[in-house]
Amino acid sequence: MYKHICTYMYVRGRGEGGQLGLGDSLDRDRPTRVAGLSRARICMAAAGGLHSAAVSDDGALWTWGHGGYGQLGHGQRENSKVPRLVAALNGRRVRMAAAGRAHTGCVTIDGLVYAWGSGGLLGRENEDDCASPAQLDLASFGGSRVADRAALKAARKAQKGLDGHAVPPVRGLLSVALRIPRAGTHLV
């Protein structure tokens, strides 16, 4: 699915709510490997307000951190201090994911868009919080081309500034490094 396979994921920053995925809520000044993802080959990561998401090379989506609005997609509104597979998406191959303040979204390889978390941020008529991935009706956004535009926009945004050099975490919250074999370290 991906041209490059990432084998390790490192995080640093504030650990509030377990957003670093290291099994605790401690802050980390130095990049620390996420042991809970050691068997998954992570190719893409997203950092939200107090939660994180990662996509593996087989299209699986993992989330962790603060889950008070259901933004982890595990069917409940609880925190997770370690990465957990978003089981509701089993059978779907995720192409890319994005994490916001209190919501998460993803695009599958077949162009379907899913969103969950704080209801007012999901682009649905119903503004209730949603603790499991809910497929969005693309017709109301202009058809399936929205998925391609969203993935392209996210990919372009992720490529800006990826020069292999360490950068400080945004507002001190979280930074994620993916180690790509023979290609260096890239921060997301």
Side-chain angles (χ1 to χ4, degrees), residues 91-163:
R92 295 278 182 210
R93 292 182 62 173
V94 174
R95 177 180 185 180
M96 58 86 49
R101 181 185 60 79
H103 62 289
T104 307
C106 71
V107 178
T108 64
I109 61 169
D110 51 354
L112 300 176
V113 178
Y114 291 85
W116 58 96
S118 181
L121 304 170
L122 301 181
R124 301 178 302 137
E125 286 184 27
N126 179 347
E127 292 194 6
D128 293 338
D129 292 351
C130 182
S132 294
Q135 186 177 341
L136 297 184
D137 177 12
L138 296 181
S140 63
F141 292 102
S144 62
R145 291 173 30 212
V146 169
D148 293 335
R149 277 188 258 150
L152 180 62
K153 182 178 178 182
R156 286 182 179 156
K157 184 178 178 184
Q159 290 301 316
K160 290 182 181 178
L162 296 183
D163 59 2

Side-chain angles (χ1 to χ4, degrees), residues 76-91:
Q76 58 204 19
R77 289 169 178 78
E78 296 178 3
N79 297 351
S80 177
K81 294 181 181 181
V82 295
R84 289 182 52 201
L85 187 65
V86 179
L89 292 171
N90 282 350

Side-chain angles (χ1 to χ4, degrees), residues 9-14 16 18-21 34 42 44-55 61-66 71-72 96-105 154 157-158 167-178 187-188:
M9 183 168 169
Y10 290 83
V11 294
R12 70 175 178 175
R14 286 183 43 205
E16 185 177 345
Q19 69 178 338
L20 297 179
V34 180
I42 301 302
M44 191 225 155
L50 291 173
H51 74 290
S52 304
V55 179
L61 179 64
W62 303 80
T63 60
W64 61 93
H66 180 70
Q71 66 265 46
L72 299 182
M96 58 86 49
R101 181 185 60 79
H103 62 289
T104 307
K157 184 178 178 184
V167 295
V170 177
R171 291 190 194 135
L173 290 179
L174 170 69
S175 66
V176 177
L178 301 176
L187 296 180
V188 178

